[in-house]
Amino acid sequence: MTQTPTHAKPNTGRPEWLPEGRPVPDLKTAIPGPLSSAVVERDLAVTSRSLPRAYPLAPRRGHGSVIEDVDGNLFLDFNAGIAVNSTGHCHPRVTAAVQEQAGELLHYSASDFFLPIYSEMCDALAATAPMSGPVRVFLSNSGAEAVEGALKLARYATKRPYVISFYGAFHGRTMGAVTLTASKSKYHKGFGPLLPGVLHAPYGDDSTFEHLENTLFRYEVSPDEVAAIFVEPIQGEGGYLVPPAGWMARLRELCDKHGILLIADEVQSGAGRTGKMWAIEHTEVEPDILISAKGLASGLPLGAFMARAELMESWPAGAHGSTYGGSPVACAAGLATLEVIKSEGLMENATNIGQLLIEGLTKIQAEHPDKIVDVRGVGLMIGVEFATADEAAAVQQRAFERGLLVLECGESAIRMSPPLVVTAEEAQIALSLFAEAVAG
């Protein structure tokens, strides 16, 4: 399939394929179109059957909150590649940083050599850390890798064998990460036995502490053998669930009581998505280790975990490493992403547009109380809970057919996680399309 190069129009920042005045969405073919259908056919013939596809979207290129598919149809992107394209698709400052770095150095391993941009990225990330005192940073290629590294560090630093995560949690699909994951049983099916020493507890209500103190610590494991508790400050794939006020503080108190490390998995909730750099900042709780990925480099593969310095200083050289983690090109994108989030007010925009969306979705809920049972979220991390899983799946499909890209999560929810550059006008269009999809 031949693709012609794109060039931004002078003084607009918009590419030629997205001229001023062209509506978004703009669907020119049946959905999916013929070229998209051909991509799907080829894909299904050669790719792993393990890949869970939501709907037959074949993206060609993007700009801001807009995706164009291979048939030339325009979609309004309200999933951002699963909360990844934080600064929007192909933000000019991020793209320029990637292009400049790609022309200078594509790779040199930071595990074995002193790659300058690696420590520059670590320094910039450490400056955002939601914990007091010095921190150290390790860069990886993905969120799952960062989870694995944090798990290793927690066990090494504490010399304790057990870890705890929560029902509904999603921490990745590699062996340690998938053991921590408990959002769907299908993620475990066929892969046992999983990593030993991982236990789970209810998430986000008073039963958490009753279960931990009076069941888990009473019958299964002594708390002085627990290295860490992994927690998503807002559960992502598990349903965009927001715990009540004070819940995270109680969890911090429990960890302090028993000498357990608190590890915040912010792979989906971080990088400004909730209106703060890290979702845990809304709770005024400090973690011991924080994990990031997804939106950290606006689409390039970059993950990280940062920890209080004394923890990261406890393991010796060679205890953990990565050939590709902290790639020069990914680091360039990460540095540009952090700068854009800060300088362009994207966290404030996430707060404002998020409030607009929640208000609009609440009105849609009031019009369809038989279909929508809850609207929840913080910033641009918003979940809409439906009465049934079938209804959520049908609304996701109908939204796609109207040119709005959203994505299911949890048992019966749809997430809205648009790029942080989304505008109020785009939000209103999305609400209108979503209302149509809900009405059927």
Side-chain angles (χ1 to χ4, degrees):
M1 188 180 304
T2 302
Q3 295 187 6
T4 55
T6 61
H7 304 282
K9 284 189 171 183
N11 302 320
T12 68
R14 295 169 69 94
E16 290 180 352
W17 57 268
L18 188 60
E20 295 283 354
R22 185 179 178 187
V24 180
D26 186 16
L27 306 181
K28 297 181 175 297
T29 72
I31 303 299
L35 295 179
S36 293
S37 295
V39 170
V40 170
E41 182 179 0
R42 182 185 65 218
D43 186 290
L44 294 178
V46 299
T47 62
S48 169
R49 289 293 178 91
S50 66
L51 299 171
R53 270 46 186 278
Y55 36 77
L57 172 72
R60 178 186 179 188
R61 51 194 175 186
H63 176 81
S65 300
V66 181
I67 282 286
E68 183 190 56
D69 74 2
V70 294
D71 292 285
N73 298 303
L74 298 185
F75 295 83
L76 186 56
D77 186 2
F78 264 56
N79 74 58
I82 317 182
V84 167
N85 297 95
S86 51
T87 60
H89 296 284
C90 300
H91 190 289
R93 292 168 68 181
V94 175
T95 300
V98 168
Q99 291 172 335
E100 181 180 356
Q101 182 60 51
E104 294 181 349
L105 184 67
L106 286 173
H107 168 73
Y108 223 78
S109 177
S111 275
D112 295 285
F113 307 98
F114 292 94
L115 181 64
I117 199 168
Y118 184 99
S119 56
E120 187 180 355
M121 180 65 203
C122 289
D123 191 48
L125 197 54
T128 73
M131 51 268 257
S132 53
V135 301
R136 289 182 177 267
V137 181
F138 183 98
L139 302 180
S140 66
N141 299 287
S142 68
E145 283 187 18
V147 168
E148 297 281 354
L151 175 57
K152 287 176 63 177
L153 176 60
R155 282 181 163 173
Y156 192 96
T158 64
K159 309 305 180 189
R160 297 179 177 189
Y162 292 94
V163 293
I164 296 169
S165 64
F166 294 96
Y167 297 123
F170 185 86
H171 296 288
R173 291 183 173 90
T174 52
M175 193 56 75
V178 82
T179 308
L180 291 165
T181 291
S183 56
K184 293 181 176 71
S185 63
K186 69 179 181 180
Y187 295 138
H188 291 175
K189 185 178 180 179
F191 300 116
L194 300 177
L195 190 72
V198 177
L199 304 166
H200 293 91
Y203 178 84
D205 56 38
D206 289 341
S207 68
T208 299
F209 307 99
E210 172 68 22
H211 181 83
L212 287 172
E213 292 279 29
N214 296 325
T215 300
L216 211 60
F217 293 163
R218 183 177 181 183
Y219 297 114
E220 293 196 59
V221 62
S222 173
D224 62 9
E225 288 195 296
V226 176
I229 294 178
F230 283 74
V231 62
E232 296 165 276
I234 300 173
Q235 279 196 343
E237 201 270 351
Y240 274 35
L241 300 176
V242 184
W247 184 85
M248 193 66 69
R250 289 183 67 186
L251 191 63
R252 176 75 268 181
E253 290 171 3
L254 181 140
C255 287
D256 290 342
K257 175 181 176 182
H258 297 295
I260 299 169
L261 299 179
L262 181 62
I263 301 180
D265 182 339
E266 297 246 19
V267 169
Q268 190 157 177
S269 62
R273 176 145 300 279
T274 65
K276 293 184 181 290
M277 183 57 70
W278 309 110
I280 200 168
E281 292 181 272
H282 292 282
T283 70
E284 298 183 354
V285 167
E286 294 190 10
D288 298 294
I289 300 173
L290 184 139
I291 302 165
S292 177
K294 286 194 182 292
L296 191 56
S298 296
L300 269 74
L302 183 65
F305 61 99
M306 48 185 167
R308 291 189 286 107
E310 63 266 27
L311 297 174
M312 201 81 83
E313 290 164 2
S314 71
W315 59 5
H320 197 57
S322 172
T323 299
Y324 287 107
S327 148
V329 179
C331 283
L335 287 166
T337 296
L338 292 178
E339 178 55 33
V340 167
I341 289 172
K342 179 181 177 181
S343 65
E344 297 189 8
L346 297 193
M347 287 184 282
E348 181 181 4
N349 192 61
T351 298
N352 295 337
I353 304 300
Q355 185 60 40
L356 186 157
L357 286 169
I358 288 176
E359 290 174 359
L361 290 167
T362 301
K363 291 178 181 177
I364 296 172
Q365 178 189 8
E367 295 168 0
H368 301 278
D370 56 325
K371 295 182 179 181
I372 299 177
V373 299
D374 189 30
V375 174
R376 55 183 176 259
V378 182
L380 291 175
M381 191 172 183
I382 300 169
V384 182
E385 189 77 36
F386 286 82
T388 67
D390 288 345
E391 186 66 39
V395 170
Q396 174 184 262
Q397 179 64 28
R398 291 195 291 263
F400 169 59
E401 292 167 355
R402 288 164 171 76
L404 176 65
L405 305 179
V406 293
L407 194 61
E408 287 183 272
C409 63
E411 296 291 333
S412 52
I414 285 177
R415 73 188 94 181
M416 285 195 176
S417 57
L420 306 187
V421 296
V422 65
T423 66
E425 180 183 6
E426 290 170 332
Q428 293 293 358
I429 293 170
L431 288 169
S432 177
L433 294 170
F434 195 73
E436 293 178 12
V438 172

